[in-house]
Each structure stands twice: as structure tokens, then as C-alpha cells.
Amino acid sequence: MAIGEAGLTSARPGSQPKRLEETMRGRLGRECVYVPSCRLGLFVALRHWCPPGGRVLMSPVNDDVIFFVVLAAGLRPVQAPLNPLDASIDIDAVPDEVWGSLSAVLTTNLYGNPDRAPELRRRCDASGIPLIEDAAHAIGSQVGGRPVGAWGDASVFSLSKHVGAKAGGMLSVADPDLRKALEETGRELLTPCRMTSELAFVVRPYAEAAVRGLRLRRAAWATLRLLGRMEREEIRMPLRPQALARAVAAAPDLAAHDPWVRVDLHDYRQESGRLRLARIARKLDRLDDVLAACRAGTELLLSTPWGRPGGTPGGPPKTGARPAPAAQPLFRVPLFVEDRDAAAAALARRGIIVGYLYDPPLDDYAGAAFTDPSPAPEGARWFARHALPVDPLRARAVIDALRESGVRPAGAPPGPTPGGPGPSRG
Ligand SMILES: Cc1ncc(COP(=O)(O)O)c(C=O)c1O
């Protein structure tokens, strides 16, 4: 395998990956290893911490790609009950026998809303299993006075989300002595850097801007479909259960699961070249500005009737009341609407495309052949059906569109509402 000077391989002082790692270490206070994508970092972590055949507690309201990474690592996904208000793991609703059967817990921190990491840390310590944090959506979120990603034995970040680089990830570890071993595992999984894909990466934002400028979105999608790059016509990608069963029989094996794991990011395991790394570095340097704007947009969206289930706006605090904690700088703000598809269509008519929908939950999508179902699936189903994840950077346009279209807020979720911070408050 050809290994160039950049990427996972070259953590030399002064090299581009090293600079990215130092920036992230400064933010998190932990050792960080650059990886070409969050999903590859997660695969490395799962392979390092979990024995093949192990069972991993995870959220069913999650990107399908993450589900397939767990399968690729030779592990059995175990779907957790969720708090319907923020899709965090409902720790108390996980039965004791499930706790006793696990090899690891994988959090999602969906849209940037933190899971209850301090309690999960305690539960994992009590069970003697690792906590792995998926912080892809939560690069600026805090929980229990620490950044999300600073609680787990390992945590993974995507530099495609808030950072907006459309490439790159970070694997962060509590024990700095593990760095070498993890780098080695990662290095073996890399495919060589290809100049054509580096160039495609560099010109892509200009091509996208041209498509937007010329209002050619439909034509561009048709072309992508023809080129076989449009793999998700629906919210979930096609499962293809027979082919998936063959891949699972070969696990742990990333290559066997490649058709599922690569979706939306075909370069996910390709060594990053200089051009890619330079763009990621420029974007990462501007992260604090992006986070400030996301926080402001999140606060605005949460103050609307759609900000909380039942339509009670979070709103600014009344005089004399205890000030509300600052909102998290969410990657997407899950608004709660009665008819999600109608609301998404209303936004689409105004050019606002809603992505990052995870409906149905993974246990309903993949079935018992591939995952242990949640013992209490209602919270996840309710969240998946009613949450409309919108970009906080477009908060005003979203609010205007929802008002003009008369979009109705969702009622309260069924059943008693579990504890926890609720949507997006720290
Ligand atoms: C929750 C979550 N985790 C991880 C990832 C993977 O990130 P990356 O695209 O950098 O591999 C995604 C991708 O959208 C995601 O939504």
C-alpha cells in the first residue's frame, strides 16, 4: 500500500496532520489522531476496544453508515431506548441483563445534543467496558463541564460537519500511550491518495456554487444518479439483506462492507493529500466563528413554537428568573412538527433542503437479523417521525418558511418524559 507523506501516516512536527491534531488537542485536552473520516476513526476504535462478536449499545436514531461500521467491525448492534426529547440514550430504561451483555457503549450526541456522558461513563466503568463517543455532530457541545468527546475511552469527530471541510476526521483517546497502536491499525486500512480525487475535492465547491447559481440542482442530481453516486434515494439506503448477510459472515472486514460504509463519502478511507489537508486546516481555523453562529441560530430556533415538543417555546427567561443555560452550538436543530414530510416539503419549495433524517429507527430498518431491537422503541420512533433537523445557520429563513406554510408543532411525546437536559441545553 502506497503511503505518502500526509494523512494518518505523517504525524511529523510541522506536518499538516500534526497541525490539525494539535488544534483538536487544544480544544479537547486529549491526544488526537487525524483520520480521513469519522467513520474510519470509529472502525479503528471499535476494532481496538471490542472483541469480534461483541455487543455494542447504540442509538437507533442514527446514520445508517454508523450501523454498518459496527457490523463491519464484527460486532452486534444492540439498540438502546431513547429519550424522545433529544434522542439521547435513556440509561435507566436499558435492562440490567443488557448491561451485563455489552462489550461497549457508543453514543451519538445526535445533532449536537449530548448524551448523558457522565452517567454513561459511570455505568461503563461499573461494567468494565469502554465508552466510545461519536462526536461527529457535537464538536462544540459540552456536557458535565467538559467537551463532548472528552468522556470516552475514545471519541470520534467528523470534520465534514460544523467544520464544513467535507473530509477529514479525528480519533481522540483518553490514554495517550495508545496513539501508536491506533495509528498502526488506521494505517493498514488506508487506500493510497489519488490525484484525481484530490482534484475533484478541490473543484467540488466551485462546481456546487455554479450548480446553485445556474439553478441546475435537478440536472446535477440526475447526473449523479447516472454516475452511480446517488445511493440514497430514500432517507435510509437500501439494506440489500442477502448481500449484507454475506458481508456480516466475513466480518470483521471493512472491504466486505464497503458498499454500505462508503455512502455519501467514497473517499472515507483514502489517505488525505496536501490539498485536502490544507482546506481542512483553513476551515478548522474558522470553527469558533461557525460555532458562535450555530449557537445563535439554535437559540432562535428553540424559542419558536417548534423548538420543544408540545409547542412550549424555550423563550428568553422572564425578569428575575434564573437565566437558562446557554444553548449548545448544534449542527442541526431538531424542531418538532406534526407532519415532518409536509414540513420538509414546505422548506424544499423555498430551496431549504432537510438532510440528516434518520427515520425509521435502525431496528425497524434492519430487523432482528442484524440487530438486537430496543426493548422500548417508542421514544426513538416518536423522535424519528417528528424531528425536523434544520441548519441553525439558516434559522431565520426556516422560521419564515414554517410560519408562512402554517406548519403545526408536534404534541408532547407519548408516555412519561424521561429526565435529562432536554433538547440542546447544556
Ligand atoms: C452521527 C454521525 N456519525 C458519524 C458520521 C460519519 O462522519 P464522516 O462522514 O466524517 O465519516 C456521520 C455522517 O453523517 C454521522 O451523521
Side-chain angles (χ1 to χ4, degrees):
M1 183 171 300
I3 304 289
E5 65 165 327
L8 243 178
T9 50
S10 83
R12 292 183 289 108
S15 71
Q16 282 169 316
K18 190 79 193 159
R19 193 159 90 72
L20 296 173
E21 289 170 357
E22 274 162 12
T23 304
M24 283 299 285
R25 187 164 49 231
R27 303 187 79 90
L28 282 179
R30 308 184 140 197
E31 191 67 39
C32 291
V33 179
Y34 174 79
V35 282
S37 64
C38 177
R39 63 195 77 177
L40 188 73
L42 179 60
F43 183 81
V44 172
L46 292 171
R47 290 292 291 121
H48 182 88
W49 269 276
C50 305
R55 294 159 53 79
V56 178
L57 187 73
M58 65 179 294
S59 163
V61 180
N62 205 336
D63 197 313
D64 1 342
V65 161
I66 298 309
F67 180 68
F68 296 119
V69 170
V70 174
L71 291 177
L75 302 165
R76 172 83 176 171
V78 176
Q79 303 304 327
L82 300 187
N83 178 341
L85 298 181
D86 60 7
S88 62
I89 293 177
D90 181 359
I91 301 170
D92 309 320
V94 179
D96 283 345
E97 62 273 18
V98 171
W99 279 112
S101 73
L102 298 175
S103 302
V105 172
L106 170 63
T107 59
T108 301
N109 303 296
L110 189 70
Y111 305 137
N113 280 312
D115 280 82
R116 288 153 61 192
E119 285 152 275
L120 284 169
R121 179 72 273 170
R122 280 197 293 279
R123 283 301 309 228
C124 286
D125 287 345
S127 304
I129 56 172
L131 173 65
I132 299 176
E133 292 177 271
D134 180 349
H137 295 179
I139 199 165
S141 298
Q142 301 262 334
V143 60
R146 286 193 214 170
V148 168
W151 290 93
D153 298 77
S155 55
V156 283
F157 291 85
S158 170
L159 302 180
S160 297
K161 306 292 182 299
H162 287 85
V163 176
K166 300 196 169 152
M170 209 54 80
L171 167 58
S172 145
V173 280
D175 178 358
D177 292 344
L178 292 177
R179 180 187 176 95
K180 250 198 156 62
L182 293 168
E183 270 181 330
E184 264 161 37
T185 311
R187 201 175 299 144
E188 281 161 19
L189 295 164
L190 288 182
T191 56
C193 177
R194 284 184 300 117
M195 193 37 92
T196 45
S197 97
E198 280 285 291
L199 286 176
F201 177 78
V202 170
V203 300
R204 189 174 141 175
Y206 304 103
E208 283 175 353
V211 163
R212 271 197 303 277
L214 297 169
R215 301 183 186 281
L216 288 176
R217 234 188 231 122
R218 279 213 185 112
W221 279 347
T223 311
L224 282 175
R225 207 169 283 132
L226 276 176
L227 294 172
R229 287 282 175 137
M230 198 65 184
E231 293 155 306
R232 250 194 243 251
E233 300 264 345
E234 306 288 328
I235 295 176
R236 296 288 188 197
M237 72 177 95
L239 187 68
R240 292 182 290 118
Q242 286 176 351
L244 183 62
R246 285 194 294 278
V248 167
D253 185 340
L254 189 55
H257 292 77
D258 194 63
W260 293 270
V261 172
R262 71 181 181 193
V263 169
D264 301 333
L265 196 67
H266 279 223
D267 298 342
Y268 76 96
R269 59 188 293 197
Q270 186 183 302
E271 185 185 2
S272 304
R274 280 164 180 266
L275 298 173
R276 203 176 291 248
L277 289 163
R279 177 179 295 158
I280 296 170
R282 276 199 305 279
K283 295 261 186 189
L284 190 57
D285 285 345
R286 293 200 288 265
L287 177 60
D288 283 327
D289 294 340
V290 175
L291 292 176
C294 287
R295 195 187 298 281
T298 300
E299 272 169 5
L300 189 58
L301 287 162
L302 288 181
S303 70
T304 68
W306 307 281
R308 285 174 195 269
T312 356
K318 296 187 180 61
T319 325
R322 215 152 49 100
Q328 309 275 6
L330 297 187
F331 172 59
R332 291 289 181 270
V333 179
L335 299 178
F336 294 97
V337 295
E338 197 174 274
D339 183 341
R340 197 266 326 281
D341 292 340
L347 293 181
R349 283 195 293 278
R350 288 160 176 84
I352 302 171
I353 305 301
V354 174
Y356 300 95
L357 287 165
Y358 306 124
D359 188 22
L362 291 171
D363 33 7
D364 293 337
Y365 160 65
F370 298 106
T371 182
D372 278 23
S374 164
E378 302 78 19
R381 284 184 186 145
W382 189 89
F383 185 96
R385 194 168 329 117
H386 292 288
L388 178 77
V390 299
D391 184 350
L393 301 178
R394 305 200 64 187
R396 283 186 195 284
V398 166
I399 293 168
D400 289 349
L402 295 181
R403 275 209 188 109
E404 279 164 26
S405 322
V407 167
R408 289 227 290 269
T417 304
S424 79
R425 299 282 176 193

